[in-house]
Every structure is written in C-alpha cells, then in structure tokens.
Amino acid sequence: MRTLRSRRRTAPLPKSRKGARTAPPDRSLTTLQAKAKDSTAVRQLREMQARASLPLQRVDDPSTAAIDDSGTLSWDKSKGVPGWAKYQYKQDHAQVDQSSSPFLPEYGPQHDDPGWTYSQGVPEWAREEYKAQSKVTLMASVKDGKIGSIYFRNGRIRTTHSDGPALERDNPNERTQRFNLDYDKALSLFFKVNRGIDKLFYAQTDPSLPDDQRQQQSAEWLFDQFNQWLGVYLAKAPVNQLPNWITPVTRADEAFDTEAADPPDNITLFEVFTNVSNGKVQSWHPSRGIAAKFETNKQVVSVLKEALRRIDGETDVNRRNTLFYNFVKSRLPVFANHIRKPDQV
C-alpha cells in the first residue's frame, strides 16, 4: 500500500500586472549575481570586451568616427583623438621603446640604430650596471690586513699559504660552524677546567730528552688537546650561554666589519666540523685571522678560481704559491695587495 507524502500548503503566487503568475525572487541567487558582477574575473572580461569593441567604434560610434561620401574614415577633430585611435597607435608601436634608458640602448627615429657605436666600446652605464649586479658579500679570514681564505656557502678558496693555494669543498656529511673568539681567553678557560694538564703532558715526554725539547713536545700535545676541547665546547654549548668573547658567524653579514673598525689582534676564526647524523665533532680548524666581511665582485672570484685551475697538478708548494700569486697580480693588481706574497707565507 502506497503512502502519500504530506504536502505543505503554500500561499498562491502573486499575479503580475498582466495577470500572469510570477515566482518570488530568490534572495540568495540575487546576492550571488551581484557578487559575480563585482568579481575580478568579470571586470577583466568587461575590459577585454571593451578593448575588442574599440576598432568597431570607427564606424559604429558616430560621435568618434564616420565614413564620408568618398569612403574615407574621419572624425570630429575638435573633440581630440578618439579612444580607439589612441589604443590602436599603442598596439602598433608598443614593440619599440624610444626612451633613453640605462638598461636598453637608445634608438633613433627609424627604430633600428642603437644609441652608441660599437667602435667606442661598452658605454659607461653598462659598465656601472655590470659592477652593481656583480657585487657579492663574502667572508674572509684576515690577519694584518691580508686575506688568507675566502669562504663560500659550501667551501673556501685558500690563497697563498704554507700548504699552497687550494679550493676546498665542505664535506656534505658534516656541518660547519664558525666562531670569532678571543684565543687567549679560550686558553685561560681551558687551563681553568683542566688544572695541571700542562704538568701531566710534560711528565709523559721522554725524560732522556733535553728540557727544551720536552717543553716543545709537551706544548704540541697541549695545543692539539686544547683545539679538540675547544671544538667540543663550541659544538655543545648553547649559543645563548656562550661567553661574550665568542661570536657565532653563520653568515657573511655577521662577520667583523673591517670598514667600521680595525680588527682586534686577539680575535681569531675557529671552525668546527660535526657529523650531520650524530653531532659528534669530526675535526676543527683554527684560523690565523679574524672572520671579516669581504665586499667583492664576481670578477675577483672568477680570477681566483682560474688561478687555481692553472696550478692544478703542480705539487711543489713554493711554485704553486708563486704561479697563483703572479696570475692574480696580472689580472687583479689591487686585490693582489691584499694577499700574502709567496715569501710571506
């Protein structure tokens, strides 16, 4: 047996003036239509339609254009240039920039002659633009005004050095941490927390050796032990708990600004290399100088890399230093004054 659904009675639909029944307006639909008319997509479509209809106004809009008896298109010149003509002119001439620009050559009336002659060389604005775009800020280790190494995100270029110039890449399995620190204060802290270690190391030297040799050997052991201790200390200590004589350097702009002040003699760069997986200290590197901000350009970097490429395969350290320095000096005489000569390493 079928059951009939109950129907709710509704009021009769209102009649129109002509007597026909009309449905009441749907308020939600009306609101949606209003929003659609004001939407970005609809406005863009209207603009496209308006632009597409501009050429038709030449004949369709008698207020802007008309065709006379001879078939010539004309308009009332007293009203100025009509909109469709302005738009069409822009479309026809938009491909050529006739303005003087530091980025583009200036073109002549025929739109085909550059604003400079190639026989005169590269114009000054192009030179300045190249210099501006090629500037880079890097970090360098500096001691007594001389650059030892230049650091990148994944390595460094070592200039003239007792081990020779080299391009060294960071180990991808290691994390590199760099610190500017007061080496003397680090030594004091080391002996404070390791009291009597100097006497212990001296006692482990060969007693048959002269005292000066035993002192020398003990000092070498102490130096290695100190650097190892310092590397572990820097890697494990929270940054906010480091003493004020230690400054982490994670970016070039955090390095010491030698333009603002002379670098202190007692501040040096210390690098720590830890295993990415377990955080254990793998190695360390005490630098001769401070980590300083180095404003340079891509040309300098390119010349240094080319100098290294040219000495590739040369094993004699003195010859590597000499060939590297001479090549850099021949290309970058000003920069060459900021690295050590081969006899100064």
Side-chain angles (χ1 to χ4, degrees), residues 217-233:
Q217 189 176 60
S218 176
E220 292 176 359
W221 291 347
L222 272 173
F223 180 76
D224 291 339
Q225 184 67 28
F226 163 69
N227 285 327
Q228 181 181 1
W229 169 86
L230 182 57
V232 174
Y233 173 77

Side-chain angles (χ1 to χ4, degrees), residues 51-69:
R51 289 197 297 267
S53 64
L54 283 175
L56 300 178
Q57 292 180 6
R58 298 181 181 184
V59 293
D60 292 348
D61 188 353
S63 65
T64 59
I67 299 178
D68 58 19
D69 295 338

